[in-house]
Amino acid sequence: MSSNTAAGRGPAQSFHYEFETLTGYFKQSENSTDDANFDFIKEKFGLIERSYPMDADVEGSRSQWQKFEHHIRRLNDQSAANESVKVLFLGRHGQGWHNVAESKYGTEAWDCYWSILEGADGITWSDAELTELGEGQAKEVNALWKESLDQGIPSPETFYVSPLTRTIQTADVSFQGVPFAKGKEYKPLIKELLREALGVHTCDRRSTASQILERFPHVTLEPSFSEADVLWEADYREPQAARRYRLQTLLDDIFETDRGIFLSLTSHSGAIRGILRGIGHRLFALQTGGVIPVVIKAKRVNGERVKPPKEPSEGPPACKEPPAADVGK
């Protein structure tokens, strides 16, 4: 396989995109929505009941989702040549064993000591797998998609997935057996940059390309995907500015190469925060298994994206032993 083209690697692009969040479509994009108490399952992904300027163009009785899809497609038809609008369904993986471990040991001890290990106390969290609860959370998303398709939600045209095990498992369960529109089907495309914060934590170190394909032969690795994980470093945790740049670079790639309008991205809390910051969206916390749809307007402009200077490793320095209060748990 060819070497990985990732943030800071490969030829610089002569263009980038300026991203803008379009509000007024989903409750999660509105400042009045409390993310601490928002239930995307009960809220049916959070689509706002409203009318659209072009409703009169839609023949017959249409559902809210169908009116929304018609509106978004018309926005694209009316966009300038260098502009486009996409709807991204950003899904966080279900609960993984690393989440269990962090809850067990506490965030402070997790960050400085336990996260550096491969596992402990009968738990393995390197490239963490889903727990039973995590699988259940993905099944709830699966049921929501099936219900929403009956109500006219547009089927995703591309399914982007992080290369980490828990995200592939989440996407597989979330979309298994979902009856998408004719010509649309779940075909996961693994994107290297759609990852959690890079470095230090072994739960965020991916398996090799060969191992991924052996375990998940139905996935497609992007052409630049490398055999080994060349992004993860044992002693350097990716800072927030670098993460935002990485995710914006991912979006540059998606908006440049994907002609689809409705896309699914299954990833991680840190990746989703990076995307939300990169598109000017309000911060919105997601529980494990959560999904947030966002409407993004992008404008293609000349000039490569400005890369932030390298900053010190994010997070506390490593501990040689667990904090005293944590010993014996």
Side-chain angles (χ1 to χ4, degrees):
M1 294 187 181
S2 59
S3 61
N4 180 52
T5 301
R9 298 176 182 273
Q13 300 285 2
S14 61
F15 64 87
H16 67 283
Y17 284 82
E18 294 175 348
F19 300 110
E20 173 189 359
T21 298
L22 300 185
T23 59
Y25 298 105
F26 292 99
K27 295 176 182 179
Q28 298 94 313
S29 299
E30 308 303 306
N31 291 327
S32 58
T33 301
D34 180 7
D35 60 345
N37 298 307
F38 188 81
D39 187 330
F40 79 99
I41 298 286
K42 292 182 179 179
E43 295 286 348
K44 313 302 181 186
F45 286 119
L47 183 67
I48 295 173
E49 291 281 337
R50 52 164 287 188
S51 61
Y52 298 102
M54 295 169 284
D55 276 357
D57 297 340
V58 182
E59 297 180 1
S61 177
R62 297 292 184 96
S63 71
Q64 188 66 46
W65 277 114
Q66 290 169 325
K67 292 177 180 179
F68 168 73
E69 178 182 5
H70 179 261
H71 174 72
I72 295 297
R73 293 192 184 279
R74 284 293 296 271
L75 286 181
N76 270 288
D77 292 341
Q78 297 171 357
S79 294
N82 65 334
E83 295 181 345
S84 60
V85 176
K86 294 186 188 297
V87 179
L88 308 186
F89 290 89
L90 305 175
R92 183 184 177 188
H93 63 78
Q95 184 195 64
W97 284 107
H98 63 305
N99 300 125
V100 174
E102 182 174 354
S103 296
K104 172 182 173 65
Y105 301 118
T107 297
E108 181 181 358
W110 169 256
D111 284 340
C112 81
Y113 182 80
W114 297 102
S115 66
I116 302 170
L117 307 180
E118 302 289 314
D121 299 330
I123 302 174
T124 300
W125 55 72
S126 60
D127 193 8
E129 299 194 8
L130 290 184
T131 65
E132 184 176 350
L133 173 60
E135 292 179 3
Q137 291 168 331
K139 289 178 181 178
E140 290 182 341
V141 174
N142 181 283
L144 178 59
W145 271 109
K146 290 177 178 176
E147 177 186 349
S148 300
L149 282 168
D150 288 339
Q151 299 169 356
I153 192 174
S155 299
E157 295 156 277
T158 311
F159 297 86
Y160 295 108
V161 184
S162 155
L164 295 173
T165 296
R166 58 190 178 274
T167 46
I168 301 175
Q169 291 175 325
T170 297
D172 283 355
V173 175
S174 296
F175 299 117
Q176 181 180 20
V178 176
F180 293 114
K182 186 177 181 180
K184 307 290 193 307
E185 60 180 308
Y186 172 61
K187 292 183 176 180
L189 175 59
I190 306 301
K191 299 290 281 186
E192 183 77 281
L193 298 187
L194 190 58
R195 293 172 60 172
E196 186 54 282
L198 301 166
V200 181
H201 295 193
T202 62
C203 58
D204 302 326
R205 183 188 63 212
R206 71 164 171 84
S207 301
T208 66
S210 299
Q211 290 169 333
I212 293 172
L213 290 175
E214 180 179 3
R215 184 166 185 185
F216 305 104
H218 61 288
V219 308
T220 298
L221 305 181
E222 62 181 328
S224 59
F225 201 84
S226 62
E227 170 65 14
D229 186 351
V230 297
L231 298 184
W232 187 89
E233 300 178 60
D235 58 356
Y236 183 80
R237 185 74 169 166
E238 180 184 42
Q240 185 180 118
R243 195 181 319 150
R244 182 171 61 251
Y245 170 81
R246 168 166 61 87
L247 274 303
Q248 286 178 318
T249 300
L250 170 74
L251 293 180
D252 287 340
D253 174 40
I254 290 174
F255 273 81
E256 181 69 13
T257 61
D258 196 325
R259 299 302 93 191
I261 297 175
F262 301 93
L263 311 175
S264 168
L265 284 74
T266 306
S267 61
H268 313 262
S269 60
I272 293 172
R273 281 196 301 271
I275 289 174
L276 296 183
R277 288 190 174 101
I279 63 175
H281 192 282
R282 60 165 291 195
L283 293 183
F284 197 95
L286 290 184
Q287 70 271 39
T288 51
V291 180
I292 177 172
V294 294
V295 182
I296 307 175
K297 181 179 180 180
K299 180 179 180 181
R300 192 182 196 272
V301 296
N302 293 327
E304 63 183 273
R305 182 171 296 284
V306 177
K307 186 177 182 179
K310 186 169 183 176
E311 299 175 328
S313 178
E314 185 174 88
C319 308
K320 292 185 178 180
E321 57 185 32
D326 205 60
V327 174
K329 277 192 175 183

